[in-house]
Amino acid sequence: IGLGIPAEPLFRSASVYAAAENRTIQVTVTAIDAEINVTKRYYELYGGEQDEIIVFTAPDDLKVKFETNDDDVVFVYNGKITALGEGNANIFISLVDNTVYKADMIYVKVKVIKMPTQIVSSAVSTVYNRDDNLIIDLKDIKGNPIKNVNVTVDLNGVKNYTTDENGTIKVPTNVLSAGEYQVNIL
């Protein structure tokens, strides 16, 4: 029995709906907060010395990189500092992955100074033409021998010597005439 209501037509969306307007929607993804800390912010090293920068990150175990602003003063690799030459340098520490974490960077200061040296020698008393030597040792302030360094000695005339593996030079005295001599080590 028909009530005069037509049967439902098949639903066809393309023919029923108009196209929607194009829209641009902004999506913002914020990087995760991160922090870099070190145990020391200042290093004073003698030329040739090494030290290490101890780094802590939050969150833990983030990867960091180290860069210096003066390669003539310090070399740095994986946090290990090697003092190369006299001067001042900064070592910058930053996160390797800065797409996930907010870029954090800190720096430490490094001052490199020349290591003081000391000359160790004793007075010599000898007899004319005997094969005795004036022994001179060159050491750093820590008592380590300084090897392969040129030393100028003025003992009745100026002569250059090179320290051996023990930081020692031997100045012959058998060529001196009888008398007393003042030795200048330069």
Side-chain angles (χ1 to χ4, degrees):
I1 277 193
L3 298 173
I5 300 176
E8 282 241 1
L10 291 174
F11 182 70
R12 294 193 178 149
S13 63
S15 62
V16 177
Y17 296 102
E21 293 179 23
N22 286 340
R23 281 234 158 139
T24 302
I25 300 172
Q26 183 172 335
V27 175
T28 303
V29 178
T30 304
I32 301 168
D33 284 331
E35 191 175 332
I36 300 171
N37 286 304
V38 291
T39 55
K40 284 173 61 174
R41 295 296 297 254
Y42 178 76
Y43 294 80
E44 185 170 291
L45 303 172
Y46 291 120
E49 280 191 316
Q50 294 184 326
D51 207 333
E52 188 170 357
I53 302 171
I54 306 299
V55 178
F56 300 96
T57 62
D60 290 336
D61 300 326
L62 296 178
K63 293 188 189 284
V64 295
K65 63 182 177 178
F66 301 86
E67 295 177 282
T68 179
N69 68 336
D70 196 333
D71 292 332
D72 293 330
V73 175
V74 294
F75 173 76
V76 62
Y77 181 75
N78 285 339
K80 190 168 200 165
I81 307 167
T82 302
L84 300 177
E86 188 176 23
N88 295 297
N90 292 325
I91 296 174
F92 298 93
I93 306 157
S94 58
L95 294 174
V96 173
D97 179 6
N98 62 2
T99 59
V100 175
Y101 298 99
K102 286 185 182 176
D104 191 20
M105 180 179 65
I106 64 170
Y107 68 94
V108 298
K109 294 181 178 189
V110 181
K111 180 177 184 178
V112 178
I113 56 178
K114 289 183 179 180
M115 184 175 292
T117 58
Q118 56 186 348
I119 297 171
V120 180
S121 185
S122 298
V124 174
S125 181
T126 188
V127 176
Y128 175 76
N129 206 23
R130 189 164 65 187
D131 285 334
D132 285 333
N133 293 309
L134 169 63
I135 306 296
I136 301 170
D137 292 316
L138 186 60
K139 299 180 182 239
D140 65 24
I141 62 166
K142 295 180 178 183
N144 300 314
I146 302 173
K147 56 186 175 182
N148 301 319
V149 173
N150 292 327
V151 177
T152 301
V153 178
D154 184 358
L155 172 61
N156 198 29
V158 175
K159 190 168 180 189
N160 292 318
Y161 297 88
T162 302
T163 59
D164 64 14
E165 291 297 313
N166 299 314
T168 301
I169 57 174
K170 296 176 182 176
V171 180
T173 59
N174 62 350
V175 295
L176 300 173
S177 302
E180 289 190 18
Y181 296 87
Q182 208 53 22
V183 179
N184 290 313
I185 304 167
L186 313 169

